[in-house]
mmCIF file of all heavy atoms in Angstrom:
data_model
loop_
_atom_site.group_PDB
_atom_site.id
_atom_site.type_symbol
_atom_site.label_atom_id
_atom_site.label_comp_id
_atom_site.label_asym_id
_atom_site.label_seq_id
_atom_site.Cartn_x
_atom_site.Cartn_y
_atom_site.Cartn_z
ATOM 1 N N CYS A 6 -37.042 6.535 -90.105
ATOM 2 C CA CYS A 6 -36.516 5.185 -90.238
ATOM 3 C C CYS A 6 -36.836 4.525 -88.939
ATOM 4 O O CYS A 6 -36.521 5.062 -87.895
ATOM 5 C CB CYS A 6 -34.864 5.212 -90.347
ATOM 6 S SG CYS A 6 -34.350 6.013 -91.817
ATOM 7 N N VAL A 7 -37.442 3.322 -89.124
ATOM 8 C CA VAL A 7 -37.709 2.587 -87.836
ATOM 9 C C VAL A 7 -37.181 1.182 -87.993
ATOM 10 O O VAL A 7 -37.513 0.554 -88.958
ATOM 11 C CB VAL A 7 -39.266 2.683 -87.392
ATOM 12 C CG1 VAL A 7 -39.684 4.026 -87.084
ATOM 13 C CG2 VAL A 7 -40.101 2.002 -88.408
ATOM 14 N N LYS A 8 -36.432 0.690 -87.032
ATOM 15 C CA LYS A 8 -35.939 -0.571 -87.049
ATOM 16 C C LYS A 8 -36.831 -1.418 -86.142
ATOM 17 O O LYS A 8 -37.227 -1.023 -85.089
ATOM 18 C CB LYS A 8 -34.520 -0.606 -86.516
ATOM 19 C CG LYS A 8 -33.805 -1.864 -86.871
ATOM 20 C CD LYS A 8 -32.292 -1.822 -86.454
ATOM 21 C CE LYS A 8 -31.583 -3.122 -86.949
ATOM 22 N NZ LYS A 8 -30.227 -3.267 -86.553
ATOM 23 N N GLN A 9 -37.169 -2.638 -86.562
ATOM 24 C CA GLN A 9 -37.866 -3.621 -85.784
ATOM 25 C C GLN A 9 -36.922 -4.600 -85.338
ATOM 26 O O GLN A 9 -36.182 -5.230 -86.081
ATOM 27 C CB GLN A 9 -39.011 -4.263 -86.718
ATOM 28 C CG GLN A 9 -39.894 -3.197 -87.330
ATOM 29 C CD GLN A 9 -40.905 -3.863 -88.241
ATOM 30 O OE1 GLN A 9 -41.968 -4.316 -87.784
ATOM 31 N NE2 GLN A 9 -40.626 -4.014 -89.609
ATOM 32 N N LEU A 19 -26.450 -15.346 -80.374
ATOM 33 C CA LEU A 19 -26.025 -15.294 -81.702
ATOM 34 C C LEU A 19 -26.345 -16.759 -82.286
ATOM 35 O O LEU A 19 -26.106 -17.743 -81.593
ATOM 36 C CB LEU A 19 -24.595 -14.957 -81.850
ATOM 37 C CG LEU A 19 -24.174 -13.604 -81.505
ATOM 38 C CD1 LEU A 19 -22.702 -13.406 -81.881
ATOM 39 C CD2 LEU A 19 -24.904 -12.519 -82.310
ATOM 40 N N THR A 25 -25.078 -14.471 -86.725
ATOM 41 C CA THR A 25 -25.994 -13.214 -86.684
ATOM 42 C C THR A 25 -27.008 -13.416 -85.487
ATOM 43 O O THR A 25 -27.141 -14.454 -84.986
ATOM 44 C CB THR A 25 -26.875 -13.101 -87.963
ATOM 45 O OG1 THR A 25 -27.492 -14.258 -88.216
ATOM 46 C CG2 THR A 25 -25.892 -12.837 -89.188
ATOM 47 N N LEU A 26 -27.509 -12.209 -85.102
ATOM 48 C CA LEU A 26 -28.532 -12.262 -84.014
ATOM 49 C C LEU A 26 -29.692 -13.063 -84.197
ATOM 50 O O LEU A 26 -30.242 -13.050 -85.320
ATOM 51 C CB LEU A 26 -28.876 -10.750 -83.748
ATOM 52 C CG LEU A 26 -29.198 -10.293 -82.339
ATOM 53 C CD1 LEU A 26 -28.016 -10.567 -81.443
ATOM 54 C CD2 LEU A 26 -29.662 -8.878 -82.338
ATOM 55 N N ARG A 28 -33.244 -13.928 -84.492
ATOM 56 C CA ARG A 28 -34.457 -13.118 -84.506
ATOM 57 C C ARG A 28 -35.646 -14.029 -84.547
ATOM 58 O O ARG A 28 -36.277 -14.077 -85.658
ATOM 59 C CB ARG A 28 -34.353 -12.241 -85.772
ATOM 60 C CG ARG A 28 -33.308 -11.179 -85.693
ATOM 61 C CD ARG A 28 -33.172 -10.483 -87.031
ATOM 62 N NE ARG A 28 -32.063 -9.577 -87.069
ATOM 63 C CZ ARG A 28 -32.006 -8.352 -86.487
ATOM 64 N NH1 ARG A 28 -33.172 -7.963 -85.951
ATOM 65 N NH2 ARG A 28 -30.902 -7.663 -86.398
ATOM 66 N N ASP A 35 -38.032 -0.686 -82.192
ATOM 67 C CA ASP A 35 -36.847 -0.253 -81.396
ATOM 68 C C ASP A 35 -37.285 1.044 -80.607
ATOM 69 O O ASP A 35 -37.672 2.111 -81.171
ATOM 70 C CB ASP A 35 -35.728 0.033 -82.283
ATOM 71 C CG ASP A 35 -34.453 0.264 -81.418
ATOM 72 O OD1 ASP A 35 -34.489 0.630 -80.268
ATOM 73 O OD2 ASP A 35 -33.283 0.141 -82.085
ATOM 74 N N SER A 37 -35.447 3.218 -79.338
ATOM 75 C CA SER A 37 -34.763 4.379 -79.826
ATOM 76 C C SER A 37 -35.459 5.102 -80.903
ATOM 77 O O SER A 37 -35.305 6.317 -81.086
ATOM 78 C CB SER A 37 -33.380 4.032 -80.347
ATOM 79 O OG SER A 37 -32.776 3.138 -79.461
ATOM 80 N N ASP A 38 -36.257 4.345 -81.710
ATOM 81 C CA ASP A 38 -36.919 4.947 -82.815
ATOM 82 C C ASP A 38 -38.312 5.654 -82.546
ATOM 83 O O ASP A 38 -38.870 6.336 -83.219
ATOM 84 C CB ASP A 38 -37.303 3.895 -83.923
ATOM 85 C CG ASP A 38 -35.871 3.591 -84.656
ATOM 86 O OD1 ASP A 38 -35.175 4.623 -84.930
ATOM 87 O OD2 ASP A 38 -35.730 2.518 -85.079
ATOM 88 N N VAL A 60 -40.065 3.981 -92.763
ATOM 89 C CA VAL A 60 -39.351 3.218 -93.723
ATOM 90 C C VAL A 60 -38.622 2.227 -92.855
ATOM 91 O O VAL A 60 -38.012 2.540 -91.939
ATOM 92 C CB VAL A 60 -38.366 4.017 -94.566
ATOM 93 C CG1 VAL A 60 -37.658 3.081 -95.514
ATOM 94 C CG2 VAL A 60 -39.220 4.960 -95.499
ATOM 95 N N SER A 61 -38.770 0.949 -93.179
ATOM 96 C CA SER A 61 -38.087 -0.112 -92.403
ATOM 97 C C SER A 61 -37.576 -1.266 -93.311
ATOM 98 O O SER A 61 -38.153 -1.380 -94.365
ATOM 99 C CB SER A 61 -39.189 -0.639 -91.365
ATOM 100 O OG SER A 61 -38.397 -1.579 -90.511
ATOM 101 N N MET A 62 -36.494 -1.805 -92.832
ATOM 102 C CA MET A 62 -35.989 -3.012 -93.590
ATOM 103 C C MET A 62 -35.977 -4.166 -92.621
ATOM 104 O O MET A 62 -35.498 -4.024 -91.498
ATOM 105 C CB MET A 62 -34.618 -2.720 -94.110
ATOM 106 C CG MET A 62 -33.895 -3.960 -94.681
ATOM 107 S SD MET A 62 -32.239 -3.595 -95.195
ATOM 108 C CE MET A 62 -31.399 -4.767 -94.214
ATOM 109 N N ALA A 63 -36.671 -5.299 -92.983
ATOM 110 C CA ALA A 63 -36.620 -6.483 -92.095
ATOM 111 C C ALA A 63 -36.798 -7.669 -93.073
ATOM 112 O O ALA A 63 -37.718 -7.716 -93.893
ATOM 113 C CB ALA A 63 -37.764 -6.428 -91.151
ATOM 114 N N GLY A 92 -28.465 -10.905 -92.881
ATOM 115 C CA GLY A 92 -26.985 -10.805 -92.725
ATOM 116 C C GLY A 92 -26.422 -9.536 -93.286
ATOM 117 O O GLY A 92 -25.275 -9.359 -93.499
ATOM 118 N N SER A 93 -27.332 -8.534 -93.588
ATOM 119 C CA SER A 93 -26.850 -7.313 -94.187
ATOM 120 C C SER A 93 -25.887 -6.610 -93.234
ATOM 121 O O SER A 93 -26.194 -6.558 -92.061
ATOM 122 C CB SER A 93 -27.937 -6.449 -94.552
ATOM 123 O OG SER A 93 -28.732 -6.929 -95.597
ATOM 124 N N ASP A 94 -24.921 -5.964 -93.717
ATOM 125 C CA ASP A 94 -24.191 -4.959 -92.895
ATOM 126 C C ASP A 94 -24.795 -3.560 -92.994
ATOM 127 O O ASP A 94 -25.788 -3.355 -93.732
ATOM 128 C CB ASP A 94 -22.756 -4.954 -93.164
ATOM 129 C CG ASP A 94 -22.313 -4.564 -94.533
ATOM 130 O OD1 ASP A 94 -23.121 -3.762 -95.174
ATOM 131 O OD2 ASP A 94 -21.251 -5.028 -95.088
ATOM 132 N N ALA A 95 -24.229 -2.569 -92.203
ATOM 133 C CA ALA A 95 -24.937 -1.287 -92.147
ATOM 134 C C ALA A 95 -24.978 -0.583 -93.440
ATOM 135 O O ALA A 95 -25.860 0.125 -93.894
ATOM 136 C CB ALA A 95 -24.146 -0.444 -91.029
ATOM 137 N N LEU A 96 -23.772 -0.715 -94.228
ATOM 138 C CA LEU A 96 -23.673 -0.007 -95.534
ATOM 139 C C LEU A 96 -24.800 -0.546 -96.507
ATOM 140 O O LEU A 96 -25.377 0.220 -97.117
ATOM 141 C CB LEU A 96 -22.275 -0.285 -96.154
ATOM 142 C CG LEU A 96 -21.987 0.393 -97.545
ATOM 143 C CD1 LEU A 96 -22.422 1.949 -97.536
ATOM 144 C CD2 LEU A 96 -20.617 0.196 -98.018
ATOM 145 N N THR A 98 -27.648 -1.949 -95.579
ATOM 146 C CA THR A 98 -28.916 -1.424 -95.035
ATOM 147 C C THR A 98 -29.150 -0.025 -95.613
ATOM 148 O O THR A 98 -30.191 0.191 -96.044
ATOM 149 C CB THR A 98 -28.814 -1.519 -93.521
ATOM 150 O OG1 THR A 98 -28.485 -2.829 -93.044
ATOM 151 C CG2 THR A 98 -30.192 -1.109 -92.918
ATOM 152 N N LEU A 102 -32.225 1.241 -97.796
ATOM 153 C CA LEU A 102 -33.293 2.209 -97.251
ATOM 154 C C LEU A 102 -33.125 3.411 -98.193
ATOM 155 O O LEU A 102 -34.174 4.053 -98.340
ATOM 156 C CB LEU A 102 -32.847 2.497 -95.804
ATOM 157 C CG LEU A 102 -33.095 1.396 -94.822
ATOM 158 C CD1 LEU A 102 -32.638 1.851 -93.391
ATOM 159 C CD2 LEU A 102 -34.642 1.033 -94.786
ATOM 160 N N LEU A 115 -35.578 11.285 -90.473
ATOM 161 C CA LEU A 115 -35.089 11.158 -89.120
ATOM 162 C C LEU A 115 -34.663 9.664 -88.898
ATOM 163 O O LEU A 115 -35.374 8.666 -89.388
ATOM 164 C CB LEU A 115 -36.286 11.475 -88.156
ATOM 165 C CG LEU A 115 -36.728 12.943 -88.192
ATOM 166 C CD1 LEU A 115 -37.926 13.160 -87.247
ATOM 167 C CD2 LEU A 115 -35.593 13.895 -87.758
ATOM 168 N N ALA A 116 -33.715 9.472 -87.998
ATOM 169 C CA ALA A 116 -33.347 8.077 -87.570
ATOM 170 C C ALA A 116 -32.852 8.298 -86.172
ATOM 171 O O ALA A 116 -32.663 9.456 -85.588
ATOM 172 C CB ALA A 116 -32.293 7.545 -88.485
ATOM 173 N N ALA A 117 -32.679 7.221 -85.360
ATOM 174 C CA ALA A 117 -32.115 7.236 -84.139
ATOM 175 C C ALA A 117 -30.663 7.406 -84.336
ATOM 176 O O ALA A 117 -30.072 6.936 -85.297
ATOM 177 C CB ALA A 117 -32.425 6.060 -83.339
ATOM 178 N N THR A 118 -29.908 7.833 -83.240
ATOM 179 C CA THR A 118 -28.396 7.944 -83.257
ATOM 180 C C THR A 118 -27.830 6.587 -83.318
ATOM 181 O O THR A 118 -26.805 6.417 -84.066
ATOM 182 C CB THR A 118 -27.982 8.657 -81.948
ATOM 183 O OG1 THR A 118 -28.532 9.960 -82.017
ATOM 184 C CG2 THR A 118 -26.460 8.825 -81.955
ATOM 185 N N GLU A 119 -28.343 5.579 -82.757
ATOM 186 C CA GLU A 119 -27.928 4.221 -82.900
ATOM 187 C C GLU A 119 -29.060 3.236 -82.588
ATOM 188 O O GLU A 119 -29.906 3.644 -81.656
ATOM 189 C CB GLU A 119 -26.635 3.871 -82.141
ATOM 190 C CG GLU A 119 -26.673 4.152 -80.643
ATOM 191 C CD GLU A 119 -25.343 4.031 -79.997
ATOM 192 O OE1 GLU A 119 -24.340 4.440 -80.655
ATOM 193 O OE2 GLU A 119 -25.295 3.498 -78.917
ATOM 194 N N SER A 120 -29.068 2.118 -83.122
ATOM 195 C CA SER A 120 -30.106 1.157 -82.855
ATOM 196 C C SER A 120 -29.800 0.424 -81.603
ATOM 197 O O SER A 120 -28.660 0.480 -81.102
ATOM 198 C CB SER A 120 -30.300 0.128 -83.992
ATOM 199 O OG SER A 120 -29.092 -0.682 -84.055
ATOM 200 N N THR A 121 -30.818 -0.292 -80.969
ATOM 201 C CA THR A 121 -30.525 -1.000 -79.794
ATOM 202 C C THR A 121 -29.865 -2.274 -79.995
ATOM 203 O O THR A 121 -29.024 -2.723 -79.161
ATOM 204 C CB THR A 121 -31.878 -1.221 -79.044
ATOM 205 O OG1 THR A 121 -32.481 0.034 -78.741
ATOM 206 C CG2 THR A 121 -31.712 -2.095 -77.798
ATOM 207 N N ASP A 122 -30.085 -2.986 -81.174
ATOM 208 C CA ASP A 122 -29.429 -4.272 -81.237
ATOM 209 C C ASP A 122 -28.103 -4.281 -81.971
ATOM 210 O O ASP A 122 -27.193 -4.859 -81.518
ATOM 211 C CB ASP A 122 -30.456 -5.196 -81.958
ATOM 212 C CG ASP A 122 -30.892 -4.778 -83.357
ATOM 213 O OD1 ASP A 122 -30.688 -3.577 -83.627
ATOM 214 O OD2 ASP A 122 -31.455 -5.697 -84.027
ATOM 215 N N GLY A 123 -27.983 -3.520 -83.085
ATOM 216 C CA GLY A 123 -26.736 -3.522 -83.773
ATOM 217 C C GLY A 123 -25.802 -2.440 -83.343
ATOM 218 O O GLY A 123 -24.668 -2.545 -83.342
ATOM 219 N N TYR A 124 -26.402 -1.349 -82.906
ATOM 220 C CA TYR A 124 -25.736 -0.135 -82.493
ATOM 221 C C TYR A 124 -24.410 0.279 -83.123
ATOM 222 O O TYR A 124 -23.467 0.739 -82.485
ATOM 223 C CB TYR A 124 -25.690 0.024 -80.942
ATOM 224 C CG TYR A 124 -24.869 -0.979 -80.221
ATOM 225 C CD1 TYR A 124 -23.503 -0.800 -79.846
ATOM 226 C CD2 TYR A 124 -25.443 -2.249 -79.913
ATOM 227 C CE1 TYR A 124 -22.808 -1.648 -79.198
ATOM 228 C CE2 TYR A 124 -24.648 -3.164 -79.239
ATOM 229 C CZ TYR A 124 -23.331 -2.857 -78.777
ATOM 230 O OH TYR A 124 -22.629 -3.806 -78.195
ATOM 231 N N THR A 125 -24.367 0.044 -84.556
ATOM 232 C CA THR A 125 -23.094 0.591 -85.170
ATOM 233 C C THR A 125 -23.075 2.130 -85.239
ATOM 234 O O THR A 125 -22.124 2.717 -85.239
ATOM 235 C CB THR A 125 -23.087 0.149 -86.636
ATOM 236 O OG1 THR A 125 -24.210 0.597 -87.351
ATOM 237 C CG2 THR A 125 -23.112 -1.365 -86.702
ATOM 238 N N GLY A 126 -24.335 2.660 -85.314
ATOM 239 C CA GLY A 126 -24.431 4.258 -85.330
ATOM 240 C C GLY A 126 -23.873 4.865 -86.592
ATOM 241 O O GLY A 126 -23.528 6.000 -86.595
ATOM 242 N N THR A 127 -23.644 4.019 -87.617
ATOM 243 C CA THR A 127 -23.242 4.618 -88.846
ATOM 244 C C THR A 127 -24.215 4.631 -89.889
ATOM 245 O O THR A 127 -24.132 5.425 -90.960
ATOM 246 C CB THR A 127 -21.947 3.787 -89.377
ATOM 247 O OG1 THR A 127 -22.255 2.360 -89.429
ATOM 248 C CG2 THR A 127 -20.781 3.998 -88.589
ATOM 249 N N MET A 128 -25.352 3.761 -89.885
ATOM 250 C CA MET A 128 -26.245 3.664 -90.896
ATOM 251 C C MET A 128 -26.730 5.045 -91.455
ATOM 252 O O MET A 128 -26.878 5.287 -92.588
ATOM 253 C CB MET A 128 -27.348 2.668 -90.471
ATOM 254 C CG MET A 128 -28.105 2.097 -91.642
ATOM 255 S SD MET A 128 -29.037 3.154 -92.583
ATOM 256 C CE MET A 128 -30.320 3.721 -91.452
ATOM 257 N N PRO A 129 -27.262 5.932 -90.525
ATOM 258 C CA PRO A 129 -27.952 7.130 -90.984
ATOM 259 C C PRO A 129 -26.949 8.101 -91.670
ATOM 260 O O PRO A 129 -27.534 8.747 -92.727
ATOM 261 C CB PRO A 129 -28.376 7.772 -89.693
ATOM 262 C CG PRO A 129 -28.555 6.692 -88.711
ATOM 263 C CD PRO A 129 -27.434 5.765 -89.037
ATOM 264 N N GLN A 131 -24.359 6.999 -93.590
ATOM 265 C CA GLN A 131 -24.224 6.431 -94.822
ATOM 266 C C GLN A 131 -25.363 6.671 -95.686
ATOM 267 O O GLN A 131 -25.269 6.978 -96.885
ATOM 268 C CB GLN A 131 -24.010 4.884 -94.598
ATOM 269 C CG GLN A 131 -22.708 4.544 -93.940
ATOM 270 C CD GLN A 131 -22.676 3.109 -93.415
ATOM 271 O OE1 GLN A 131 -23.648 2.536 -92.979
ATOM 272 N NE2 GLN A 131 -21.585 2.440 -93.560
ATOM 273 N N GLN A 222 -17.478 -8.329 -94.500
ATOM 274 C CA GLN A 222 -16.963 -8.597 -93.090
ATOM 275 C C GLN A 222 -17.616 -9.799 -92.606
ATOM 276 O O GLN A 222 -18.635 -10.245 -92.989
ATOM 277 C CB GLN A 222 -17.208 -7.332 -92.255
ATOM 278 C CG GLN A 222 -18.731 -6.944 -92.257
ATOM 279 C CD GLN A 222 -18.971 -5.760 -91.474
ATOM 280 O OE1 GLN A 222 -19.238 -5.725 -90.292
ATOM 281 N NE2 GLN A 222 -18.790 -4.549 -92.034
ATOM 282 N N SER B 113 -17.578 -1.247 -96.256
ATOM 283 C CA SER B 113 -18.250 -1.251 -94.968
ATOM 284 C C SER B 113 -17.462 -0.830 -93.844
ATOM 285 O O SER B 113 -16.180 -0.570 -94.060
ATOM 286 C CB SER B 113 -18.573 -2.690 -94.714
ATOM 287 O OG SER B 113 -19.281 -3.232 -95.674
ATOM 288 N N VAL B 114 -17.975 -0.591 -92.742
ATOM 289 C CA VAL B 114 -17.230 -0.237 -91.535
ATOM 290 C C VAL B 114 -17.444 -1.183 -90.538
ATOM 291 O O VAL B 114 -18.555 -1.666 -90.293
ATOM 292 C CB VAL B 114 -17.873 1.174 -91.044
ATOM 293 C CG1 VAL B 114 -17.184 1.636 -89.838
ATOM 294 C CG2 VAL B 114 -17.730 2.205 -92.121
ATOM 295 N N ILE B 115 -16.419 -1.493 -89.732
ATOM 296 C CA ILE B 115 -16.556 -2.291 -88.507
ATOM 297 C C ILE B 115 -16.493 -1.381 -87.366
ATOM 298 O O ILE B 115 -15.599 -0.606 -87.217
ATOM 299 C CB ILE B 115 -15.486 -3.418 -88.473
ATOM 300 C CG1 ILE B 115 -15.802 -4.497 -89.549
ATOM 301 C CG2 ILE B 115 -15.504 -4.154 -87.067
ATOM 302 C CD1 ILE B 115 -14.939 -5.763 -89.508
ATOM 303 N N THR B 116 -17.624 -1.487 -86.533
ATOM 304 C CA THR B 116 -17.725 -0.447 -85.393
ATOM 305 C C THR B 116 -17.608 -1.048 -84.103
ATOM 306 O O THR B 116 -17.695 -2.332 -83.967
ATOM 307 C CB THR B 116 -18.981 0.211 -85.570
ATOM 308 O OG1 THR B 116 -20.035 -0.605 -85.678
ATOM 309 C CG2 THR B 116 -19.017 1.235 -86.798
ATOM 310 N N ASN B 117 -17.681 -0.273 -83.051
ATOM 311 C CA ASN B 117 -17.645 -0.732 -81.650
ATOM 312 C C ASN B 117 -16.510 -1.618 -81.366
ATOM 313 O O ASN B 117 -16.562 -2.644 -80.646
ATOM 314 C CB ASN B 117 -18.843 -1.261 -81.319
ATOM 315 C CG ASN B 117 -19.956 -0.258 -81.150
ATOM 316 O OD1 ASN B 117 -19.801 0.661 -80.393
ATOM 317 N ND2 ASN B 117 -21.189 -0.475 -81.739
ATOM 318 N N HIS B 132 -14.954 -7.141 -80.249
ATOM 319 C CA HIS B 132 -16.101 -6.554 -79.872
ATOM 320 C C HIS B 132 -16.809 -7.206 -78.684
ATOM 321 O O HIS B 132 -16.805 -8.333 -78.642
ATOM 322 C CB HIS B 132 -17.088 -6.508 -81.045
ATOM 323 C CG HIS B 132 -16.545 -6.144 -82.311
ATOM 324 N ND1 HIS B 132 -16.761 -4.929 -82.914
ATOM 325 C CD2 HIS B 132 -15.821 -6.818 -83.209
ATOM 326 C CE1 HIS B 132 -16.156 -4.912 -84.025
ATOM 327 N NE2 HIS B 132 -15.468 -6.082 -84.189
ATOM 328 N N ILE B 134 -20.099 -8.065 -76.885
ATOM 329 C CA ILE B 134 -21.545 -7.977 -77.127
ATOM 330 C C ILE B 134 -22.355 -8.513 -75.938
ATOM 331 O O ILE B 134 -21.658 -9.102 -74.993
ATOM 332 C CB ILE B 134 -21.995 -8.822 -78.441
ATOM 333 C CG1 ILE B 134 -21.625 -10.279 -78.166
ATOM 334 C CG2 ILE B 134 -21.417 -8.270 -79.578
ATOM 335 C CD1 ILE B 134 -22.314 -11.099 -79.299
ATOM 336 N N PHE B 135 -23.536 -8.253 -75.883
ATOM 337 C CA PHE B 135 -24.407 -8.585 -74.748
ATOM 338 C C PHE B 135 -23.860 -8.055 -73.456
ATOM 339 O O PHE B 135 -23.673 -8.818 -72.473
ATOM 340 C CB PHE B 135 -24.681 -10.105 -74.683
ATOM 341 C CG PHE B 135 -25.197 -10.754 -76.004
ATOM 342 C CD1 PHE B 135 -24.919 -11.945 -76.360
ATOM 343 C CD2 PHE B 135 -25.934 -9.983 -76.832
ATOM 344 C CE1 PHE B 135 -25.335 -12.568 -77.531
ATOM 345 C CE2 PHE B 135 -26.482 -10.478 -78.040
ATOM 346 C CZ PHE B 135 -26.055 -11.788 -78.326
HETATM 347 C C1 LIG C 1 -23.866 -7.177 -82.282
HETATM 348 C C2 LIG C 1 -23.892 -6.687 -83.730
HETATM 349 C C3 LIG C 1 -22.816 -6.000 -84.206
HETATM 350 C C4 LIG C 1 -22.755 -5.590 -85.649
HETATM 351 N N1 LIG C 1 -21.607 -4.880 -85.980
HETATM 352 C C5 LIG C 1 -21.600 -4.343 -87.368
HETATM 353 C C6 LIG C 1 -20.507 -3.666 -87.795
HETATM 354 O O1 LIG C 1 -19.525 -3.561 -87.147
HETATM 355 N N2 LIG C 1 -20.591 -3.122 -89.020
HETATM 356 C C7 LIG C 1 -21.612 -3.301 -89.872
HETATM 357 O O2 LIG C 1 -21.655 -2.758 -90.948
HETATM 358 N N3 LIG C 1 -22.748 -3.975 -89.425
HETATM 359 C C8 LIG C 1 -22.708 -4.512 -88.167
HETATM 360 N N4 LIG C 1 -23.919 -5.213 -87.721
HETATM 361 C C9 LIG C 1 -25.021 -5.337 -88.658
HETATM 362 C C10 LIG C 1 -25.989 -4.105 -88.428
HETATM 363 O O3 LIG C 1 -26.340 -3.946 -87.191
HETATM 364 C C11 LIG C 1 -27.026 -4.232 -89.477
HETATM 365 O O4 LIG C 1 -26.527 -4.043 -90.712
HETATM 366 C C12 LIG C 1 -28.188 -3.266 -89.327
HETATM 367 O O5 LIG C 1 -29.083 -3.524 -90.391
HETATM 368 C C13 LIG C 1 -27.868 -1.728 -89.459
HETATM 369 O O6 LIG C 1 -27.068 -1.305 -88.472
HETATM 370 P P1 LIG C 1 -27.458 -0.728 -87.059
HETATM 371 O O7 LIG C 1 -28.695 -1.301 -86.516
HETATM 372 O O8 LIG C 1 -26.176 -1.009 -86.336
HETATM 373 O O9 LIG C 1 -27.591 0.798 -87.437
HETATM 374 P P2 LIG C 1 -27.411 2.012 -86.613
HETATM 375 O O10 LIG C 1 -26.486 2.923 -87.346
HETATM 376 O O11 LIG C 1 -26.962 1.737 -85.123
HETATM 377 O O12 LIG C 1 -28.897 2.587 -86.601
HETATM 378 C C14 LIG C 1 -29.203 3.903 -86.349
HETATM 379 C C15 LIG C 1 -30.649 4.014 -86.733
HETATM 380 O O13 LIG C 1 -30.798 3.858 -88.227
HETATM 381 C C16 LIG C 1 -32.149 3.310 -88.408
HETATM 382 N N5 LIG C 1 -32.021 1.891 -88.920
HETATM 383 C C17 LIG C 1 -30.979 1.015 -88.856
HETATM 384 N N6 LIG C 1 -31.328 -0.063 -89.384
HETATM 385 C C18 LIG C 1 -32.550 -0.038 -89.811
HETATM 386 C C19 LIG C 1 -33.494 -0.855 -90.624
HETATM 387 N N7 LIG C 1 -33.112 -2.142 -90.825
HETATM 388 N N8 LIG C 1 -34.669 -0.364 -90.886
HETATM 389 C C20 LIG C 1 -35.034 0.895 -90.655
HETATM 390 N N9 LIG C 1 -34.236 1.824 -89.947
HETATM 391 C C21 LIG C 1 -33.093 1.344 -89.678
HETATM 392 C C22 LIG C 1 -32.792 3.404 -87.099
HETATM 393 O O14 LIG C 1 -33.465 4.578 -86.921
HETATM 394 C C23 LIG C 1 -31.707 3.108 -86.123
HETATM 395 O O15 LIG C 1 -32.022 3.481 -84.800
HETATM 396 C C24 LIG C 1 -23.872 -5.742 -86.482
HETATM 397 C C25 LIG C 1 -24.991 -6.317 -85.883
HETATM 398 C C26 LIG C 1 -24.923 -6.825 -84.597
HETATM 399 C C27 LIG C 1 -26.176 -7.586 -84.043
#
Side-chain angles (χ1 to χ4, degrees):
Chain A
C6 298
V7 298
K8 195 171 184 188
Q9 305 178 84
L19 290 187
T25 55
L26 211 55
R28 294 171 185 278
D35 187 342
S37 313
D38 283 325
V60 176
S61 190
M62 173 184 121
S93 291
D94 62 25
L96 180 57
T98 305
L102 291 177
L115 296 175
T118 301
E119 57 190 37
S120 70
T121 297
D122 61 344
Y124 63 96
T125 64
T127 50
M128 200 297 291
Q131 291 167 323
Q222 47 185 272
Chain B
S113 303
V114 180
I115 291 187
T116 52
N117 287 310
H132 311 256
I134 58 163
F135 307 148

